């Protein structure tokens, strides 16, 4: 397909051509069933196969143990900004947040509507050019929330922020999930809208440590309660079947390509190419501090800022 152009958007982002070709075939006729993938009943054996395969592949890719549930929700990462405090906070606990960029800020704004909050660290004063250095949690921390990759600012955590073992670490990994191997055991919840690194918009992946389900208050709205998904295998209502299918094919592509270790290698190579070009140029100016730079989103401006609008 020679007419395809470079897609530099962070999300919805480019999908592997191989995945698009497989999806194209199966939109018309899923695996020889005589029905397209969008027409399959979510209660039928074909869709069951898709969701089982997605689970299995993700569990293999990230080495996820049985202590964790994998669920598929809707409403994007933005819906998780509300779901996390609703499910994890009580009157006695406080949501702890690291403010490292615009998406962290949005998560904080939503959580503020729903419970008490503590700012555990911030790099706002540094225009989010770096990750917050000093993290201090409140004594009543119900969880510590951070954004692993700050999409718009171009900074990334390549290892987790320090967090006491009794405080669940909650991560918005929307723009870097599967970009590197991850030790899932360090996390209470990992969530990611799929449209950047793992598929297409419409489905949000949530990986949740099962013991956290016990602290969920009663009477949450059905579709915001994580238990609705863990109890009904993500089919409490009609799930986003096509996005789950595309997610499944993307996960299988990552696996065929060599898994997260290979993704990490490729991402390092790609990012080095770009940062080297920026650093050796008198025209471009990198935004993020070198030690915090993202492998996913390479952000830059121009040395001569007066030329920026013309450049764009
Ligand atoms: N978190 C991060 C890190 C993001 O990059 C984005 C989207 N750019 C969001 C959350 C919001 O995601 P959604 O549009 O899926 O709600």
């Amino acid at each position: 397909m020679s007419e395809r152009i470079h897609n530099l958007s962070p999300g919805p982002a480019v999908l592997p051509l191989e995945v698009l070709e497989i999806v194209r075939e199966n939109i018309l006729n899923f695996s020889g069933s005589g029905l397209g993938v969008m027409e399959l009943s979510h209660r039928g054996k074909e869709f069951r196969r898709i969701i089982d395969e997605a689970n299995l592949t993700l569990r293999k890719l990230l080495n996820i143990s049985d202590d964790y549930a994998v669920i598929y929700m809707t409403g994007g990462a933005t819906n998780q900004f509300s779901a996390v405090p609703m499910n994890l906070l009580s009157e006695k606990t406080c949501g702890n947040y690291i403010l490292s960029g615009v998406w962290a800020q949005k998560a904080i704004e939503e959580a503020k509507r729903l419970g008490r909050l503590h700012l555990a660290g911030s790099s706002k004063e540094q225009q989010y050019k770096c990750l917050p250095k000093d993290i201090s949690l409140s004594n009543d921390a119900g969880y510590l929330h951070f954004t692993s990759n700050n999409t718009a600012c171009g900074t990334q955590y390549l290892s987790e922020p320090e967090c006491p073992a009794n405080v669940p670490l909650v991560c918005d990994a929307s723009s870097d999930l599967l970009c590197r191997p991850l030790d899932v055991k360090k996390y209470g919840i990992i969530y990611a809208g799929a449209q950047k690194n793992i598929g297409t918009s419409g489905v949000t992946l949530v990986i949740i440590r099962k013991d956290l389900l016990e602290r969920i208050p009663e009477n949450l709205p059905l579709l915001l309660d994580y238990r609705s998904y863990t109890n009904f295998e993500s089919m409490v209502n009609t799930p986003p079947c096509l996005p789950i299918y595309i997610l499944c094919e993307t996960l299988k592509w990552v696996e065929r390509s060599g898994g997260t270790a290979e993704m990490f290698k490729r991402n390092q190579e790609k990012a080095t190419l770009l940062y080297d070009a920026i650093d050796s140029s008198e025209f471009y100016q990198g935004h993020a501090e070198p030690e915090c730079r993202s492998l996913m989103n390479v952000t830059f401006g121009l040395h001569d800022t007066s030329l920026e609008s013309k450049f764009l």
Side-chain angles (χ1 to χ4, degrees):
M1 285 174 78
S2 57
E3 68 272 25
R4 282 177 67 78
I5 59 168
H6 286 296
N7 178 356
L8 301 177
S9 169
V14 68
L15 282 161
L17 185 56
E18 214 177 298
V19 169
L20 291 176
E21 284 171 343
I22 294 170
V23 170
R24 180 177 59 182
E25 290 296 307
N26 286 284
I27 277 181
L28 287 179
N29 187 351
F30 176 73
S31 202
S33 67
L35 285 177
V37 67
M38 291 182 285
E39 302 161 300
L40 298 173
S41 161
H42 60 290
R43 308 273 175 215
K45 65 178 188 322
E46 287 89 2
F47 186 70
R48 178 82 267 164
R49 236 173 62 205
I50 294 171
I51 208 161
D52 286 349
E53 198 168 25
N55 283 333
L56 198 73
T57 314
L58 185 77
R59 283 183 179 279
K60 265 195 283 178
L61 283 172
L62 288 177
N63 201 12
I64 304 174
S65 73
D66 289 342
D67 302 338
Y68 288 80
V70 172
I71 58 177
Y72 305 93
M73 294 176 67
T74 52
T78 303
N79 205 34
Q80 298 304 312
F81 296 167
S82 314
V84 167
M86 283 174 111
N87 281 266
L88 294 193
L89 286 187
S90 71
E91 277 169 14
K92 295 194 187 111
T93 55
C94 166
N96 280 229
Y97 282 78
I98 298 181
L99 176 55
S100 55
V102 294
W103 293 104
Q105 174 74 54
K106 287 185 195 287
I108 289 171
E109 278 160 23
E110 282 309 300
K112 264 191 202 156
R113 302 176 203 267
L114 298 160
R116 284 188 300 117
L117 236 78
H118 166 77
L119 198 58
S122 170
S123 55
K124 189 172 182 180
E125 282 186 10
Q126 291 78 37
Q127 295 87 45
Y128 303 128
K129 289 183 178 183
C130 57
L131 296 168
K133 292 193 176 63
D134 302 315
I135 304 299
S136 85
L137 272 64
S138 68
N139 292 332
D140 55 357
Y143 57 83
L144 174 63
H145 180 282
F146 79 109
T147 314
S148 50
N149 183 67
N150 296 287
T151 321
C153 309
T155 60
Q156 184 180 21
Y157 282 92
L158 286 175
S159 60
E160 295 71 21
E162 289 217 2
C163 181
N166 62 342
V167 176
L169 188 60
V170 176
C171 178
D172 174 0
S174 294
S175 55
D176 70 348
L177 193 66
L178 297 186
C179 86
R180 66 176 180 96
L182 204 65
D183 186 359
V184 172
K185 288 194 295 299
K186 292 186 176 159
Y187 295 81
I189 294 180
I190 301 170
Y191 64 84
Q195 66 271 23
K196 295 184 170 63
N197 276 34
I198 53 174
T200 189
S201 64
V203 62
T204 313
L205 181 69
V206 183
I207 304 168
I208 177 166
R209 212 175 64 216
K210 287 178 183 164
D211 65 285
L212 296 177
L213 300 169
E214 286 157 26
R215 60 166 83 175
I216 299 175
E218 293 308 319
N219 298 322
L220 287 186
L222 183 70
L223 293 184
L224 279 158
D225 186 328
Y226 288 132
R227 288 170 304 194
S228 306
Y229 300 83
T230 56
N231 289 343
F232 298 99
E233 299 177 281
S234 299
M235 293 195 220
V236 60
N237 68 334
T238 314
C241 298
L242 181 64
I244 291 176
Y245 171 61
I246 297 174
L247 169 83
C248 178
E249 288 300 338
T250 310
L251 295 175
K252 283 161 58 185
W253 175 85
V254 174
E255 191 183 28
R256 280 198 302 282
S257 307
T260 52
E262 172 64 19
M263 292 300 126
F264 193 35
K265 189 169 149 268
R266 290 186 193 181
N267 288 321
Q268 283 171 314
E269 284 166 6
K270 278 191 292 184
T272 303
L273 205 62
L274 289 166
Y275 286 124
D276 281 353
I278 288 169
D279 290 343
S280 61
S281 146
E282 285 171 12
F283 184 64
Y284 301 110
Q285 162 128 48
H287 175 75
E289 287 181 6
E291 66 277 14
C292 304
R293 281 173 164 175
S294 167
L295 299 179
M296 297 284 96
N297 302 99
V298 176
T299 50
F300 61 89
L302 301 184
H303 279 288
D304 181 352
T305 49
S306 68
L307 289 176
E308 280 179 358
S309 57
K310 195 170 179 191
F311 175 85
L312 289 172

